[in-house]
């Protein structure tokens, strides 16, 4: 079984046609979803690049693999996985797999993709490395113009300086874009692997649609900003929320940007999604032409989402909203029927799935559950809640989150906690942690989070014991939290 893994960076799930967007053209990913399993509740284990990618590599939650923050904004954590850490490519290599990774690595500093056995150009950094020798050679060989941008969009920081670059026009044809280059290199590797005949794992990790959105005119202006419905959470007041969120909004200069420019930014983001979809289409079409489709499982997902103005924020950060934690997740295994599933699954679950499909032992991926039974249409026993964690971006900021069908609890030891009723308040505008009518829900979820963290070995539960008086929650250890208190509301 060949394995094709397609991944984007900072990708909102609501930008895809197959997830309900009526405006954005994503025919290739829609086609993949229509022939595979689309997961409607697919989440990242942590909404930041390096830790999420390390979880995919290891099948471990961030607290376990300990690669907790991006190097570019290092906050004193480890910068590489431990030498003895289990990784799925090692297991695949032992089964005779050819291994390729084209695109964003962002999985450590001293150890690159080649350190784990992957073929492909070494492309470091968090955004398109347009000065990389292989990319420049690609342009020169084809007589394509070099990278150049204009019409920069950015806001103003509280100290009066220019804010981070959010978008700009790229003065290159589509064939010269870094996205087209990555797809071309992926196709070249696929052709070589097909000629070899041994099974392969080939990943293509696009750097986009991560900001800044740098696009040729046809994509920069592809979508009319008038089509953009602003996210309802743009009405965010931050009342009763952790102060860090208001500070992040100022850092990302949201209130200094006219609302019509915000609409344009979202429209440009949509154009970026379409550009990437077209490049994914090139890869999938070539797979068909090579006769590999019937023996290749295909995955599509992202490392995390993006705010694009939701909650008056850009990028991601210490705010555990659905905008950045819920991500696209599509898996197609040859011979299995298309479907949509609602289990809570995560990026980390891809690890055990890859291992199972390759005939490897899944047990070393200790925080990962194979999705293969679900894709086969089975109904395996599955957790009814989701856990996620965060450790910091720019500065340490520990958080833990648990959500079930209706409620989401976020524990912020250094600030106020958050509780959201996702049925009554799907855009997470009202923090109801202190609302007395939800006290039974708060107690139930706090206890459940504590139990799950303790079972996993996540020492965050030690912080919870004195701070939230876990022992005073009237918990009967002979019953589950759900059996004890039920579901309020």
């Amino acid at each position: 079984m060949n394995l094709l893994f397609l991944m984007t960076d900072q990708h909102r799930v609501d930008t895809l046609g197959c997830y309900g967007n009526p405006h954005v053209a994503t025919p290739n990913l829609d086609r993949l979803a229509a022939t595979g399993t689309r997961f409607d509740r697919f989440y990242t284990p942590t909404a930041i690049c390096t830790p999420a990618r390390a979880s995919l590599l290891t099948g471990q939650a961030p607290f376990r693999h300990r690669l907790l923050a991006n190097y570019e904004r290092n906050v004193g954590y480890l910068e590489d996985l431990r030498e003895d850490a289990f990784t799925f490519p090692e297991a695949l290599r032992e089964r005779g797999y050819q291994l390729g990774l084209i695109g964003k690595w962002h999985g450590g500093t001293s150890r690159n993709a080649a350190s784990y056995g992957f073929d492909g150009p070494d492309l470091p950094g968090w955004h398109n490395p347009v000065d990389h020798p292989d990319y420049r050679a690609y342009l020169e060989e084809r007589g394509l113009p070099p990278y150049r941008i204009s019409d920069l969009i950015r806001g103003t920081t509280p100290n009066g300086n220019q804010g981070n670059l959010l978008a700009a026009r790229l003065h290159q044809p589509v064939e010269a874009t870094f996205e087209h280059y990555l797809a071309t290199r992926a196709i070249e590797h696929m052709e070589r692997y097909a000629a070899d005949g041994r099974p392969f794992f080939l990943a293509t990790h696009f750097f986009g649609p991560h900001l800044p959105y740098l696009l040729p005119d046809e994509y920069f202006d592809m979508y009319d900003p008038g089509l953009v419905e602003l996210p309802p959470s743009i009405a965010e007041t931050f009342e009763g929320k952790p102060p860090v969120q208001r500070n992040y909004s100022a850092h990302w200069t949201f209130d200094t940007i006219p609302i019509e420019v915000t609409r344009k930014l979202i429209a440009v983001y949509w154009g970026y999604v379409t550009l990437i979809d077209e490049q994914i289409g090139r890869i999938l079409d070539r797979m068909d032409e090579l006769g590999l489709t019937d023996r290749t499982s295909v995955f599509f997902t992202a490392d995390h989402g993006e705010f694009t103005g939701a909650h008056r924020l850009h990028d991601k950060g210490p705010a555990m909203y659905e905008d950045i934690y819920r991500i696209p997740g599509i898996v197609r295994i040859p011979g299995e029927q298309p479907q949509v599933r609602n289990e809570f699954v995560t990026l980390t679950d891809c690890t055990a799935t890859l291992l199972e499909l390759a005939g490897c032992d899944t047990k070393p991926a200790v925080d990962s559950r194979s999705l293969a039974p679900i894709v086969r249409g089975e109904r395996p026993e599955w957790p009814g809640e989701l856990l996620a964690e965060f450790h910091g971006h720019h500065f340490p900021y520990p958080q833990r989150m648990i959500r079930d069908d209706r409620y989401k609890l976020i524990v912020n030891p250094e600030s106020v906690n958050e509780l959201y009723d996702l049925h009554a308040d799907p855009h997470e505008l009202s923090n109801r942690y202190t609302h007395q009518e939800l006290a039974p829900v708060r107690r139930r979820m706090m206890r459940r989070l504590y139990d799950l963290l303790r079972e996993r070995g996540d020492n965050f539960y030690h912080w919870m014991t004195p701070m939230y008086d876990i022992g005073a929650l009237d918990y009967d250890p002979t019953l589950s939290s759900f059996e004890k208190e039920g579901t309020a509301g």
Side-chain angles (χ1 to χ4, degrees):
M1 176 72 70
N2 301 314
L3 304 166
L4 178 65
F5 200 91
L6 305 166
M7 190 175 191
T8 51
D9 189 320
Q10 210 152 296
H11 196 158
R12 289 186 66 95
V13 69
D14 61 6
T15 60
L16 300 174
C18 58
Y19 281 96
N21 191 299
H23 304 301
V24 182
T26 54
N28 298 292
L29 289 171
D30 295 349
R31 170 166 55 103
L32 183 64
T35 54
T37 295
R38 173 170 65 80
F39 290 93
D40 218 25
R41 296 197 292 191
F42 200 99
Y43 284 77
T44 184
T46 185
I48 188 166
C49 301
T50 296
R53 292 165 187 271
S55 287
L56 172 63
L57 195 61
T58 63
Q60 297 179 2
F63 82 89
R64 200 182 309 278
H65 64 61
R66 306 299 298 167
L67 194 52
L68 302 178
N70 288 354
Y71 170 68
E72 288 85 359
R73 293 291 186 269
N74 186 30
V75 290
Y77 297 134
L78 293 179
E79 295 179 8
D80 283 285
L81 291 172
R82 300 182 308 274
E83 291 285 345
D84 62 348
F86 167 81
T87 62
F88 79 81
E90 177 184 2
L92 266 58
R93 188 169 59 247
E94 292 176 355
R95 296 283 296 181
Y97 271 72
Q98 305 173 85
L99 301 174
L101 191 153
I102 311 298
K104 186 170 185 176
W105 168 242
H106 213 26
T109 57
S110 63
R111 299 166 68 194
N112 59 13
S115 304
Y116 297 90
F118 291 113
D119 301 327
D122 181 21
L123 299 170
W126 64 273
H127 201 255
N128 290 340
V130 294
D131 289 329
H132 192 277
D134 190 62
Y135 173 62
R136 295 175 69 174
Y138 165 87
L139 296 179
E140 291 171 7
E141 289 166 3
R142 292 161 176 77
L144 295 168
Y147 164 90
R148 183 171 67 86
I149 60 174
S150 68
D151 300 346
L152 281 61
I153 299 176
R154 57 173 95 226
T156 305
T157 64
N159 64 8
N161 291 334
Q162 286 187 330
N164 292 309
L165 179 62
L166 299 174
R169 290 185 183 274
L170 178 65
H171 295 278
Q172 290 177 302
V174 63
E175 295 79 11
T177 62
F178 209 84
E179 292 70 29
H180 196 282
Y181 154 76
L182 290 177
T184 300
R185 289 289 186 254
I187 289 168
E188 292 168 352
H189 275 68
M190 183 185 295
E191 291 169 343
R192 188 162 67 251
Y193 292 159
D196 180 282
R198 289 178 294 149
F200 64 80
F201 169 89
L202 177 60
T204 306
H205 291 183
F206 292 93
F207 287 75
H210 194 295
L211 53 75
Y213 322 136
L214 310 177
L215 300 175
D217 286 347
E218 63 183 286
Y219 298 94
F220 196 90
D221 298 320
M222 178 172 283
Y223 296 104
D224 180 356
L227 293 173
V228 173
E229 293 184 15
L230 294 172
S233 62
I234 211 162
E236 179 67 77
T237 66
F238 303 113
E239 181 180 355
K241 306 274 187 93
V244 69
Q245 295 184 23
R246 185 186 300 274
N247 294 339
Y248 249 65
S249 179
H251 171 74
W252 281 103
T253 69
F254 178 85
D255 290 336
T256 72
I257 299 171
I259 202 67
E260 61 269 21
V261 177
T262 293
R263 289 185 188 275
K264 177 62 177 178
L265 281 169
I266 295 173
V268 174
Y269 183 78
W270 289 358
Y272 206 169
V273 170
T274 294
L275 170 61
I276 291 173
D277 179 84
E278 290 174 359
Q279 304 316 307
I280 287 174
R282 293 178 58 218
I283 297 171
L284 294 176
D285 287 347
R286 188 59 180 142
M287 181 178 68
D288 292 343
E289 293 165 359
L290 291 168
L292 298 171
T293 303
D294 290 341
R295 47 198 172 99
T296 303
S297 291
V298 182
F299 294 67
F300 171 74
T301 187
D303 58 355
H304 55 79
E306 151 78 89
F307 281 118
T308 59
H311 295 277
R312 291 164 52 196
L313 294 163
H314 292 286
D315 199 52
K316 66 276 184 185
M320 304 185 85
Y321 293 120
E322 296 287 288
D323 306 272
I324 59 174
Y325 276 84
R326 181 173 172 240
I327 55 176
I330 302 169
V331 181
R332 187 178 72 189
I333 297 176
E336 305 303 341
Q337 294 301 305
Q339 59 179 329
V340 177
R341 296 295 289 260
N342 289 310
E343 288 87 350
F344 285 116
V345 300
T346 77
L347 176 65
T348 314
D349 292 326
C350 291
T351 315
T353 314
L354 293 167
L355 291 168
E356 179 177 334
L357 293 174
C360 303
D361 183 6
T362 64
K363 289 192 293 293
V366 296
D367 297 309
S368 179
R369 301 176 184 88
S370 175
L371 301 173
I374 296 179
V375 177
R376 291 194 293 262
E378 300 172 15
R379 298 285 172 179
E381 184 177 347
W382 206 265
E385 69 276 314
L386 169 88
L387 292 183
E389 60 190 270
F390 188 75
H391 299 266
H393 184 41
H394 307 291
F395 49 86
Y397 194 87
Q399 297 177 292
R400 296 295 186 275
M401 179 251 280
I402 183 171
R403 72 146 294 182
D404 60 20
D405 285 331
R406 179 165 182 175
Y407 297 101
K408 176 190 288 187
L409 171 72
I410 302 164
V411 175
N412 302 299
E414 299 179 20
S415 189
V416 298
N417 295 330
E418 299 164 82
L419 179 65
Y420 298 102
D421 180 344
L422 298 174
H423 287 184
D425 177 28
H427 305 292
E428 302 172 277
L429 285 167
S430 176
N431 179 12
R432 304 188 182 190
Y433 186 81
T434 60
H435 289 206
Q436 189 56 37
E437 71 274 15
L438 290 182
V441 174
R442 183 177 67 241
R443 290 195 300 269
R444 169 177 62 82
M445 297 196 75
M446 187 69 77
R447 183 74 219 197
R448 184 61 173 161
L449 177 60
Y450 175 86
D451 290 346
L452 289 171
L453 295 179
R454 185 175 58 181
E455 290 170 10
R456 297 174 103 196
D458 182 347
N459 287 334
F460 190 92
Y461 83 88
H462 285 308
W463 291 20
M464 295 174 63
T465 305
M467 287 185 174
Y468 308 115
D469 198 10
I470 295 295
L473 293 184
D474 192 27
Y475 176 69
D476 182 344
T478 66
L479 300 176
S480 73
S481 303
F482 291 95
E483 292 170 324
K484 177 66 176 174
E485 303 205 45
T487 301

